[in-house]
Amino acid sequence: MDKSDVTKLAEENTLRDDGIKEYLEPRFECPICLTWLHDPVLTSCGHKFCSQCIYTWLEKEGACCPVDSKPLKSESDLFRDLYTSREISQQVTPCPYQQLGCEVKLSPVDMEAHINQCAYKRDLPESQNVHCLFKSVGCLEIFQTDENLQTHLDKNTNMHLTLILKALPQLCQSNASAIAAESKLWDAPPKNTTSSEKNEPSLEWQQLLKNLYERIVVLEQQIKELSITVSNQKTKLTTLQTSLRFNQEEMFLRNCNGIYIWKLNDFEEKLVNMTNDPLKMFYSPGFYTNLNGYKMCARINVSSKDPQFLSLLLHIMKSENDDGLDWPFNGTMYFVLVHPYNREKDIREITSSRPDLEAFRKPVCELNKRSFGYTEFVRIRDLPDFLQNDCLTFRVEVRVYDNFKYQIN
């Protein structure tokens, strides 16, 4: 083998130092690093990854599968795939420097480590002028080291694609059939190939397209990973927005100072449900008399005494403030059915608490079973006059007496 052949072999193997580039079956390929599976791991959702790749992914990207976004837990959903490890170990491949005399044959995973330490690799002459891999399509850049070449390739993908597009007509003319050319891209080079045959333009084009195809595969994988990341971020954003909306509503209910405006949308449908089912009731959200005060909610239902009336009542609810409040509850309650156009037509009622009633005692469950208010608050037949866009509006106000002040006086 002369010096030119050795130099050619060195250029061919600059692409192989990062891993074995021959055809890789999908079942042996890691979806994350796109190389042979190292210490393969099988997920509970049926996908295989390198052990280091999947654990690093779960730590950085969140607890989900990179392929189908199924939830994964590293301690319970990942299993060592010994069967695939044995299959890979049986895939024997010769050292890429066998033409220089290396007779080592190893599995693809072990071969990657061997290439970096191969004694025959050290015999290759150091290249002083490394041409860009896209020289054939017009890129005339020359580099002193492979690292500079790789940096150039990473930063000028668009430029190289443009050069390929310009040269594409010539490429099509040099190939009798695009389909036949594509099928040959991954063919292994024939044995006993002469130096002159290696320099034929068709082989250069095949290598060029092969390199381009590999970069497209890597870019597609990166796009897929980014899509998964974006999807996860959208889910987190939706969760945060829901939490923020809940916190805003909670702050409003805590700071309404006992005055709550209750709007019942789609009221006609609610009325039909209550009429058909006498036990059907609708409750308002729980609101507070002040920031650290009593928690209450309003309730409507068809009156159990007279089905021609609608009941409006209050329930005291259990809250984190109950141990620091005075019991039984002592205060005044105002009930208003708001007319949408004429405030003089509002239906207003006022009443005060009674310490002897169970409804005003400290609740022992989420909602005090006893309520207080008006079981015959408004006639159902009068309700259409209060509807605006099928919405009925109540105003409930609760004012608390200061028992401590009264005791001092």
Side-chain angles (χ1 to χ4, degrees):
M1 180 180 294
D2 58 24
K3 184 175 181 181
S4 62
D5 291 335
V6 173
T7 303
K8 180 64 175 178
L9 182 61
E11 292 177 355
E12 291 176 353
N13 283 285
T14 54
L15 294 177
R16 303 188 62 161
D17 289 346
D18 293 332
I20 308 301
K21 296 297 184 180
E22 65 267 12
Y23 174 72
L24 176 58
E25 293 186 48
R27 62 195 181 103
F28 295 143
E29 182 182 48
C30 173
I32 296 178
C33 65
L34 301 178
T35 58
W36 289 89
L37 288 165
H38 293 253
D39 189 17
V41 170
L42 182 65
T43 67
S44 58
C45 55
H47 299 105
K48 299 176 183 178
F49 302 92
C50 299
S51 175
Q52 182 177 358
C53 290
I54 187 60
Y55 281 105
T56 302
W57 173 274
L58 294 178
E59 289 178 1
K60 292 183 178 180
E61 304 297 336
C64 64
C65 176
V67 177
D68 58 14
S69 299
K70 295 288 181 64
L72 291 180
K73 295 182 179 179
S74 57
E75 63 274 9
S76 60
D77 292 323
L78 302 181
F79 312 92
R80 291 193 63 191
D81 191 351
L82 300 179
Y83 179 77
T84 301
S85 294
R86 286 195 297 269
E87 282 193 303
I88 293 176
S89 65
Q90 295 172 1
Q91 306 291 320
V92 178
T93 182
C95 176
Y97 302 106
Q98 63 177 340
Q99 298 181 26
L100 298 178
C102 184
E103 298 179 354
V104 173
K105 294 183 178 181
L106 298 170
S107 71
V109 174
D110 296 331
M111 182 59 69
E112 294 183 12
H114 166 75
I115 289 175
N116 295 326
Q117 303 175 359
C118 182
Y120 292 90
K121 178 181 178 181
R122 294 194 294 269
D123 296 336
L124 293 173
E126 295 184 3
S127 176
Q128 298 299 321
N129 294 315
V130 182
H131 291 272
C132 176
L133 298 177
F134 295 88
K135 177 183 177 181
S136 300
V137 292
C139 186
L140 303 179
E141 295 288 339
I142 300 177
F143 307 93
Q144 297 296 320
T145 64
D146 291 338
E147 289 76 9
N148 293 339
L149 170 61
Q150 188 60 47
T151 301
H152 167 73
L153 294 175
D154 292 338
K155 291 183 177 180
N156 294 279
T157 302
N158 292 336
M159 181 190 73
H160 291 145
L161 289 175
T162 302
L163 293 174
I164 291 173
L165 290 174
K166 290 181 179 179
L168 192 58
Q170 181 181 355
L171 174 63
C172 294
Q173 293 176 1
S174 65
N175 290 276
S177 172
I179 298 177
E182 182 180 356
S183 65
K184 293 179 180 179
L185 290 180
W186 299 100
D187 291 344
K191 296 182 179 179
N192 303 323
T193 303
T194 64
S195 176
S196 60
E197 291 175 342
K198 290 182 179 179
N199 293 326
E200 292 180 359
S202 60
L203 293 179
E204 292 182 3
W205 279 111
Q206 289 183 19
Q207 183 63 41
L208 177 64
L209 291 177
K210 179 179 177 180
N211 295 337
L212 179 60
Y213 179 77
E214 290 175 352
R215 288 191 61 81
I216 290 174
V217 171
V218 172
L219 291 174
E220 286 179 345
Q221 180 65 23
Q222 291 175 347
I223 291 174
K224 187 172 185 179
E225 292 176 2
L226 288 174
S227 297
I228 294 173
T229 301
V230 170
S231 177
N232 292 337
Q233 292 300 325
K234 285 183 178 179
T235 302
K236 292 180 181 179
L237 178 61
T238 301
T239 302
L240 289 174
Q241 289 175 337
T242 302
S243 177
L244 177 61
R245 185 165 57 252
F246 174 81
N247 290 334
Q248 289 175 337
E249 293 175 355
E250 181 70 13
M251 288 301 297
F252 168 76
L253 294 170
R254 283 184 175 274
N255 292 276
C256 67
N257 294 320
I259 302 175
Y260 182 68
I261 307 299
W262 188 17
K263 293 182 176 293
L264 285 91
N265 295 311
D266 303 321
F267 180 76
E268 291 184 354
E269 180 182 350
K270 291 181 173 62
L271 181 59
V272 171
N273 293 334
M274 290 187 293
T275 302
N276 294 336
D277 183 3
L279 298 179
K280 184 69 175 179
M281 303 175 184
F282 290 95
Y283 296 84
S284 75
F287 61 93
Y288 292 76
T289 56
N290 53 59
L291 183 61
N292 297 308
Y294 300 87
K295 185 178 182 181
M296 299 186 177
C297 71
R299 188 193 91 196
I300 62 167
N301 59 274
V302 174
S303 175
S304 57
K305 294 183 178 180
D306 189 343
Q308 298 182 21
F309 284 84
L310 188 71
S311 299
L312 179 60
L313 308 110
L314 278 179
H315 284 271
I316 296 180
M317 302 179 68
K318 192 174 184 179
S319 77
E320 68 279 11
N321 305 321
D322 290 349
D323 292 339
L325 300 175
D326 294 325
W327 299 99
F329 169 80
N330 188 15
T332 301
M333 289 149 285
Y334 301 81
F335 299 87
V336 181
L337 175 57
V338 179
H339 193 278
Y341 308 112
N342 189 347
R343 296 303 304 273
E344 294 182 357
K345 294 183 178 181
D346 290 352
I347 297 178
R348 301 171 179 270
E349 298 290 350
I350 180 173
T351 186
S352 298
S353 62
R354 291 172 48 185
D356 58 314
L357 297 181
E358 184 178 348
F360 300 105
R361 297 177 185 174
K362 182 178 179 181
V364 295
C365 55
E366 188 67 21
L367 189 72
N368 204 326
K369 295 182 180 180
R370 297 293 182 180
S371 59
F372 189 82
Y374 295 90
T375 58
E376 300 174 359
F377 183 74
V378 58
R379 288 184 179 274
I380 293 178
R381 68 185 183 187
D382 296 333
L383 291 177
D385 191 39
F386 290 85
L387 287 174
Q388 183 180 23
N389 298 325
D390 199 21
C391 177
L392 198 66
T393 303
F394 291 98
R395 182 176 185 270
V396 181
E397 182 176 351
V398 180
R399 298 179 183 176
V400 183
Y401 296 147
D402 192 341
N403 294 337
F404 183 72
K405 180 178 70 175
Y406 292 149
Q407 291 174 2
I408 293 177
N409 293 339

